[in-house]
Amino acid sequence: PGDHTGAVIGLRWSPDGTALLSAGEDGDLKVWSKSGNLRSTLASGPTAVYAFVWGPDGDSVLWSAGKTLNLKSQSGTGRRALSWLAHEGGLVTCVDWNAICDLVVTGGEDC
């Protein structure tokens, strides 16, 4: 019931190693426990999730959906949810979040 309906594009462990993020062609971004149980579906959309990263706080998750970046607290108690246009000319294909200076960098088809 919690599986992706398309190919899984990527996986990332949380900074503390207690949760695993999976992103798929189906547009879903899911949080799993270490034992493989689905904790939650953070996002479900029509666009494949190609880029995603845990925030330095271990709670925030940043992911791409087409040209847009989305930010959400996986616990629901952290940063408020945000979305913004990151690239005008194509898909966002990679993202990283610097834990020291709290800056985000992205790359895409238009770079």
Side-chain angles (χ1 to χ4, degrees):
D3 298 344
H4 287 275
T5 57
V8 173
I9 293 173
L11 302 165
R12 288 202 187 212
W13 285 106
S14 62
D16 65 2
T18 62
L20 183 70
L21 273 178
S22 66
E25 287 181 336
D26 57 4
D28 288 354
L29 186 67
K30 296 176 181 273
V31 181
W32 304 85
S33 69
K34 287 192 305 187
S35 60
N37 295 315
L38 180 63
R39 287 187 184 170
S40 66
T41 300
L42 282 181
S44 187
T47 307
V49 178
Y50 290 109
F52 60 102
V53 65
W54 287 95
D57 61 6
D59 179 54
S60 299
V61 177
L62 182 66
W63 75 94
S64 67
K67 302 174 185 179
T68 304
L69 282 179
N70 304 281
L71 176 67
K72 188 174 183 180
S73 163
Q74 65 102 15
S75 69
T77 61
R79 299 177 191 238
R80 70 180 176 94
L82 296 171
S83 290
W84 66 94
L85 180 66
H87 290 260
E88 293 182 7
L91 298 174
V92 177
T93 58
C94 55
V95 62
D96 202 7
W97 195 335
N98 186 307
I100 296 170
C101 62
D102 204 31
L103 291 176
V104 170
V105 63
T106 64
E109 293 178 334
D110 60 348
C111 294

